[in-house]
Amino acid sequence: MEKQEYERFRDSIGTVTSEGKRSWVYPKKPEGILYKYRKWVSYILLIILVVSPFIKIKGNQFLMFNVLERRFNLFGNIFWPQDFYLFVLMMLIGVVFIVLFTVAFGRIFCGWICPQTIFMEMVFRRIEYWIEGDRGKQIRLDKQEWNAEKIRKKGLKWFIFFIISFLIANVFLAYLIGSDRLLLYIKDGPLAHISTLISLLIFTGVFYFVFAWFREQVCIIACPYGRLQGVLLDNKSIVVAYDHKRGEKEKGRAKFKKKEDREASGKGDCIDCFQCVQVCPTGIDIRNGTQLECVNCTACIDACNKMMDAVDLPRGLIRYASEENIEKKKKFRFTPRIKGYAAVLFILVSVLSGMLFLRSEVEANILRLPGQLYEHKENNIISNVYTYKLINKTSKDFEEVQFKLLSHNGDINTVKGHTILVPANGLAEGTLFIKINRAALEEEKDKLKIAIYSGDRLIETTGTTFLGPRSYK
């Protein structure tokens, strides 16, 4: 049986023609109260994104993800490879948080917070409107022959796109290698750091490709979140939805006619103006229902409300609503799924908070030197040789660092025989000897507890094993 017309849109995505070619989207410039709110949210997030690598807290970069050196800064706190489990837990919390919001409010993250949407709609698209004009002018410009006007507008747009992509790449690089190093590279000049310049140009090319050509295809094709949405959403999730009951009624949608008693005619409130379609940045018709291409940007809500005002019909034909709300007029409520995800999120946040609270300022590792046995000394003393590594996770130096045995009576001596300095955000390593009287040993491998002091202040405790002769007690 032939599919109904309203089901045919499911055969392909909105940006592909029936011949399988790219259908370029020319969204109309959005306007309305929700678009104003989105602009404020976007500009605040853009400012945070740009300035975060250059903000310092106690000498540490506010945010940095130095994968090469395996060093991560989050809100001014440094996380080393030894803290990777904390970083993984943070990422897991982020995923559960997004899943929870998707179950409750659909793809709202994509439309309001995602960097791809913010850069595309609030930076690159607005520049395009400024240079080429609104939807109609852009379509006419692309169809006309290459003349002076088209070359001037296209050239200016592509040049500005490249400059902005280059600036974004620099900010991105500041997150990876640190803002101090980036500023130093800029001061030295590009020729002094050719490999960094090449990496920067590659990032620039990627950003330019995404925002100048690939555009909404990132959200539709490349991003897995759109597919995840289909698994997470149910009829109780709040999404950008078309009220088909009100819009269609008995006679369906129809063009608006002046002095028509629309209520008596049985026609729906949808006047088939296609404003919601023309303003959509992913090229879909929201009246077909929830679709994977929809990023919940609310542009269609503003456009529909404007038309409803013009024809003196109630607003809200397209609005934030659930399928259950439209079908049965039920209000939003916390479902067992939402409560379950919220409980998991609460547990993860609690565990992370506890781990951060218990996280020590210094990571200490004391290991026996491989392949070395114990050594007999005078007065029945047994000696073991160890390597130590102290990692300072703070932005202050630890001076006069000393080791003291807590579990046994004995001595700890470093090879150089002097106190240790552990620099801020750095490490100190070396060799030490632990000497214990044989009478104090109970087994072949005794467990030792060692305290690390900076002056009179205890900064960490750690443990190791001590190898000695078999005891015949």
Side-chain angles (χ1 to χ4, degrees):
M1 184 176 180
E2 187 178 353
K3 286 188 177 182
Q4 298 294 326
E5 181 66 28
Y6 65 85
E7 286 289 342
R8 290 182 182 174
F9 78 95
R10 299 187 188 278
D11 292 341
S12 64
I13 59 178
T15 54
V16 175
T17 64
S18 56
E19 292 81 21
K21 296 180 180 180
R22 168 82 178 270
S23 177
W24 197 266
V25 178
Y26 299 91
K28 186 178 178 181
K29 186 177 180 180
E31 56 180 329
I33 188 65
L34 290 175
Y35 183 62
K36 289 181 180 178
Y37 291 153
R38 281 181 60 212
K39 283 197 294 186
W40 281 110
V41 171
S42 298
Y43 294 150
I44 291 171
L45 291 176
L46 279 174
I47 291 171
I48 293 173
L49 180 68
V50 172
V51 304
S52 288
F54 302 95
I55 296 175
K56 298 290 182 68
I57 296 179
K58 296 180 180 179
N60 298 324
Q61 188 169 309
F62 185 66
L63 288 175
M64 184 174 72
F65 308 95
N66 193 332
V67 179
L68 298 177
E69 297 179 3
R70 295 176 296 172
R71 173 182 169 180
F72 304 92
N73 288 22
L74 294 177
F75 311 115
N77 296 307
I78 299 177
F79 294 88
W80 298 88
Q82 292 81 0
D83 300 315
F84 189 68
Y85 65 97
L86 292 174
F87 191 75
V88 171
L89 189 56
M90 291 178 190
M91 297 299 293
L92 185 60
I93 288 173
V95 171
V96 174
F97 183 79
I98 292 175
V99 168
L100 171 62
F101 259 71
T102 303
V103 170
F105 304 111
R107 211 169 168 179
I108 192 171
F109 171 84
C110 297
W112 290 74
I113 303 175
C114 177
Q116 159 69 18
T117 303
I118 291 175
F119 277 116
M120 186 68 251
E121 301 303 324
M122 298 300 171
V123 179
F124 289 88
R125 192 88 74 183
R126 288 177 66 81
I127 292 171
E128 198 166 54
Y129 290 137
W130 171 60
I131 296 174
E132 297 184 356
D134 209 341
R135 170 184 163 84
K137 292 181 179 180
Q138 289 181 23
I139 294 174
R140 288 193 295 272
L141 184 67
D142 279 0
K143 287 182 178 180
Q144 74 183 43
E145 296 293 330
W146 282 94
N147 53 23
E149 179 195 13
K150 187 170 182 177
I151 292 173
R152 175 174 55 82
K153 289 184 176 180
K154 291 292 185 181
L156 178 61
K157 183 183 77 169
W158 293 336
F159 175 74
I160 295 176
F161 278 10
F162 179 83
I163 295 300
I164 295 176
S165 298
F166 183 74
L167 294 176
I168 295 172
N170 274 273
V171 173
F172 181 72
L173 194 62
Y175 278 100
L176 293 180
I177 66 173
S179 58
D180 290 341
R181 188 180 299 181
L182 175 66
L183 295 174
L184 178 63
Y185 288 175
I186 294 173
K187 183 179 179 181
D188 292 342
L191 297 180
H193 305 280
I194 294 296
S195 60
T196 303
L197 177 63
I198 293 173
S199 301
L200 196 60
L201 292 176
I202 291 173
F203 285 133
T204 301
V206 171
F207 289 128
Y208 182 83
F209 169 76
V210 167
F211 295 116
W213 189 83
F214 206 45
R215 301 191 156 202
E216 72 285 339
Q217 301 292 84
V218 173
C219 306
I220 299 172
I221 299 173
C223 181
Y225 187 43
R227 274 70 178 170
L228 183 66
Q229 173 188 234
V231 178
L232 296 174
L233 293 183
D234 57 26
N235 63 351
K236 299 175 181 61
S237 300
I238 303 294
V239 295
V240 173
Y242 165 67
D243 190 341
H244 60 90
K245 287 206 163 186
R246 176 189 152 191
E248 310 293 325
K249 292 185 179 177
E250 297 85 8
K251 297 292 183 64
R253 64 184 78 143
K255 296 290 183 180
F256 179 76
K257 295 180 181 179
K258 290 183 179 180
K259 298 181 181 180
E260 176 187 32
D261 189 347
R262 204 166 181 91
E263 186 70 29
S265 68
K267 297 176 183 177
D269 283 359
C270 178
I271 61 174
D272 214 19
C273 63
F274 282 92
Q275 292 299 303
C276 59
V277 179
Q278 293 179 7
V279 82
C280 179
T282 58
I284 65 169
D285 188 341
I286 192 64
R287 297 173 298 177
N288 288 328
T290 302
Q291 298 154 68
L292 70 86
E293 297 97 324
C294 180
V295 294
N296 283 23
C297 70
T298 70
C300 56
I301 297 179
D302 281 331
C304 185
N305 285 341
K306 182 180 178 180
M307 293 307 299
M308 291 295 102
D309 291 342
V311 297
D312 199 25
L313 289 172
R315 288 186 165 206
L317 181 59
I318 301 175
R319 63 183 187 272
Y320 274 123
S322 65
E323 183 181 332
E324 190 177 62
N325 174 256
I326 292 173
E327 294 286 350
K328 303 177 182 178
K329 303 298 180 184
K330 288 187 176 181
K331 294 182 179 180
F332 174 77
R333 58 189 177 87
F334 287 96
T335 64
R337 286 182 70 198
I338 295 176
K339 293 177 181 177
Y341 285 124
V344 172
L345 182 63
F346 176 77
I347 292 171
L348 290 174
V349 170
S350 299
V351 171
L352 177 63
S353 301
M355 288 182 172
L356 290 174
F357 180 76
L358 297 173
R359 178 174 178 257
S360 61
E361 295 179 333
V362 174
E363 181 85 19
N365 288 300
I366 300 177
L367 301 173
R368 289 188 65 258
L369 198 62
Q372 294 292 322
L373 296 175
Y374 58 87
E375 184 179 357
H376 286 278
K377 297 288 185 179
E378 295 179 354
N379 301 321
N380 208 29
I381 298 296
I382 305 297
S383 174
N384 279 205
V385 60
Y386 297 82
T387 59
Y388 67 86
K389 181 183 288 187
L390 303 177
I391 301 174
N392 187 351
K393 302 177 184 177
T394 70
S395 56
K396 59 184 178 181
D397 294 338
F398 285 110
E399 301 175 345
E400 299 182 0
V401 175
Q402 303 175 47
F403 301 92
K404 294 182 181 180
L405 269 175
L406 298 179
S407 56
H408 295 70
N409 289 325
D411 297 318
I412 299 180
N413 304 112
T414 58
V415 170
K416 294 182 180 180
H418 55 71
T419 56
I420 303 164
L421 169 68
V422 187
N425 303 322
L427 62 87
E429 53 187 342
T431 307
L432 57 80
F433 293 92
I434 299 180
K435 301 174 182 179
I436 301 176
N437 193 293
R438 180 176 180 178
L441 301 176
E442 298 180 355
E443 301 177 3
E444 287 184 85
K445 287 186 178 181
D446 278 34
K447 293 182 178 180
L448 304 183
K449 187 176 181 181
I450 302 170
I452 298 102
Y453 285 86
S454 175
D456 296 329
R457 180 191 169 197
L458 176 67
I459 57 175
E460 178 63 319
T461 58
T462 187
T464 188
T465 58
F466 188 89
L467 187 63
R470 181 186 294 274
S471 174
Y472 295 98
K473 292 182 180 179

